[in-house]
Amino acid sequence: MGLAAYDVVGRDGAWHVEHDGAIRNTYQTKEAAFEAAVAAASLAMRQGHSVRLTVPESENAIGAGNSG
């Protein structure tokens, strides 16, 4: 099996999960994108892949467009 890499990318209010060079969905918060990436990574791990998940820092904790 190979490496399944999931990268949370975007900015406040428009977050995505990049996998194999493709971005399929937009999430309102960084946390929502992270949860989607974890679900996908969990499935890949069960299939025998090694997994890498990266999430960038952001200015607010949830990475939403309007957090206040």
Side-chain angles (χ1 to χ4, degrees):
M1 295 285 143
L3 172 67
Y6 301 90
D7 300 303
V8 175
V9 297
R11 61 184 181 346
D12 292 352
W15 292 95
H16 314 281
V17 177
E18 184 175 339
H19 173 65
D20 290 339
I23 294 175
R24 298 174 195 234
N25 297 308
T26 300
Y27 301 92
Q28 194 68 24
T29 65
K30 181 172 65 171
E31 182 180 16
F34 171 75
E35 290 173 358
V38 167
S42 179
L43 177 60
M45 187 178 66
R46 279 181 271 166
Q47 294 173 339
H49 297 278
S50 59
V51 173
R52 184 193 78 216
L53 172 60
T54 61
V55 181
E57 66 181 17
S58 62
E59 290 190 19
N60 63 59
I62 61 172
N66 181 6
S67 63

